Amino acid sequence: MKIQKLFFLNALLVIVVMFAFTAPANAGGKAYKLGLSLAITGPTSDAGNPYAKGVEDYFKFVNETNILGDDKIDCTIRDDQYKTDITKRNFEEYLDDGIVMYLNYSTGSTLGLKRDFEEERIAVLPASYHAGNLDDSNYIFLPVASYSEQLVALSEYVAQNHTDGKAKVAMFIHPSAFGRGPVDDAKKAVAAGLNLEIVEVVEHGKDLDNSAMLKRLMSKGVQYVLCHTVQSPVATMLKDSSRLGLTAKTYGEQGKMTFLGVHYTGGNDLIALAGDACEGYFWTCSFNLTSEKGEGTTKQLALAQLYGRDDKAANSHNYAAGIMVAQVATETIKRVKAKGKKITKETLYNELNSMNGANAYNPYTTMGPVTYSKTDRAGVDMLQIYSVQNGVFKKIGEPMQSKFMKKIK
């Protein structure tokens, strides 16, 4: 414990020293404008709020430590309350301001603005990892593996570790394009030979009690519930299942249900919401978690402390996700500058497409490197499965990739 604390303090000291002894920027430095529109309030804000803080804090750090020399990143962040019409208005105003790269949030708005991105020829890094974002698109770059890849990989894990015949699963999803998209790919994987049965797909509402739904799934023999939504509805369901005595105490326990989920369903935020009810919850994402100490998570916590974030935000994988897109945007600008080129929408787009092979980028927030090309616009390919053990998320096995996604795409 003393060694970990010392490691953290050293990382924080490095950040503070960099800030304190970096010379002030010259008046002649340039400001590169970016824009972010997301749900800081309203639906899914439990993810959007810490995400916004991650973006804000990393760009502050970039500017205050002169990572881009005398140049700065000027990123305007606006709340769109998860409403596509507000997102569109924000994007249009950002264009009027002269942005050179755009950071979007929701699946609905990313799909809704896809044609606009093409017309403007502007690179977009969304917080939505919906695989459909990439269909007929040249300018959207997913930061990490898609929801589809994550859900299919989690389905593969269920099939591989189920010991008695064909695993019966239910999908618990957000009632939107964000929630529905990956289910189609999971069904394709089953059709391609994945050994499980999707018994029911539940689109959750705003119900405060899931008792009837959980009992119905039990009556159908469902043993695994795979979740693709945000943390709040999952926390409510887990607490209801625990109260009813339906939650498996060990993975795949007969006569009980094991709960698993994709990216936005888990992380330390879920533990804060569900408490002991999320013990044994399995979850996949492409980000490092602060419950597994390492150099990257130490830097994340140091950044949060530097800018006065509370423990909840500091330990959120959504905070890490916000940092990560800011890291990718900064690195892209830095590389274009190093080549002596002008920072424009076109040069940034071209640079992102060259971020592969020896030019791959390794942010401290993720399980693997970011790679892009004209034929591959999903950044981090690697996924890590975690499970809640004694109140914290711990790694299960090594980072992995879905095998069936290659068969169905």
Side-chain angles (χ1 to χ4, degrees), residues 20-273:
F21 291 96
T22 301
N26 296 329
K30 299 175 182 177
Y32 307 118
K33 292 188 175 183
L34 278 67
L36 166 62
S37 179
L38 79 170
I40 299 175
T41 62
T44 77
S45 59
D46 49 353
N49 192 291
Y51 189 98
K53 291 172 180 175
V55 172
E56 180 182 4
D57 290 354
Y58 190 76
F59 282 146
K60 278 184 181 179
F61 178 71
V62 167
N63 292 339
E64 291 172 354
T65 58
N66 288 1
I67 287 177
L68 296 176
D70 291 343
D71 296 344
K72 305 295 182 190
I73 291 178
D74 178 8
C75 183
T76 302
I77 300 174
R78 292 183 184 170
D79 182 11
D80 58 26
Q81 302 170 15
Y82 205 62
K83 297 178 180 178
T84 298
D85 58 333
I86 298 177
T87 306
K88 182 174 177 61
R89 183 166 66 247
N90 287 342
F91 175 63
E92 290 171 346
E93 291 178 3
Y94 290 154
L95 289 174
D96 291 340
D97 288 341
I99 60 169
V100 290
M101 184 181 287
Y102 177 56
L103 312 179
N104 202 48
Y105 180 69
S106 72
T107 297
S109 63
T110 303
L111 293 173
L113 292 172
K114 189 185 293 187
R115 292 302 99 208
D116 299 77
F117 302 152
E118 292 289 312
E119 290 175 6
E120 296 296 335
R121 298 185 178 183
I122 187 168
V124 178
L125 292 169
S128 164
Y129 312 142
H130 176 51
N133 290 338
L134 302 180
D135 293 341
D136 300 318
S137 170
N138 296 298
Y139 289 89
I140 296 171
F141 295 79
L142 301 189
V144 299
S146 71
Y147 301 135
S148 290
E149 178 126 4
Q150 295 185 43
L151 187 63
V152 172
L154 208 55
S155 299
E156 291 172 24
Y157 182 84
V158 169
Q160 291 164 5
N161 291 277
H162 183 70
T163 58
D164 184 20
K166 183 175 290 189
K168 289 189 174 184
V169 308
M171 303 285 183
F172 182 78
I173 65 170
H174 194 273
S176 66
F178 154 63
R180 298 178 191 116
V183 175
D184 289 338
D185 284 323
K187 290 179 178 179
K188 290 177 184 176
V190 171
L194 182 59
N195 189 36
L196 57 77
E197 177 187 354
I198 300 175
V199 175
E200 184 175 341
V201 177
V202 178
E203 293 192 10
H204 66 75
K206 298 180 180 179
D207 301 333
L208 298 178
D209 189 342
N210 296 283
S211 298
M213 180 268 292
L214 289 167
K215 290 176 181 177
R216 182 178 72 250
L217 296 181
M218 282 294 296
S219 72
K220 293 182 176 182
V222 169
Q223 207 168 337
Y224 305 92
V225 180
L226 276 61
C227 308
H228 176 46
T229 177
V230 293
Q231 295 102 335
S232 297
V234 174
T236 301
M237 178 176 61
L238 291 176
K239 287 188 283 189
D240 288 340
S241 179
S242 178
R243 173 176 51 80
L244 294 168
L246 301 179
T247 304
K249 288 186 170 29
T250 58
Y251 178 86
E253 180 185 356
Q254 288 286 348
K256 304 289 182 179
M257 288 190 288
T258 298
F259 295 88
L260 310 91
V262 170
H263 189 78
Y264 282 117
T265 67
N268 295 320
D269 299 334
L270 177 67
I271 295 174
L273 291 169

Side-chain angles (χ1 to χ4, degrees), residues 290 297 300-301 304-305 309-317 319-320:
T290 57
T297 56
Q300 174 182 325
L301 292 171
Q305 182 166 332
R309 300 303 185 187
D310 60 23
D311 286 346
K312 181 180 179 182
N315 288 283
S316 170
H317 72 289
Y319 181 72

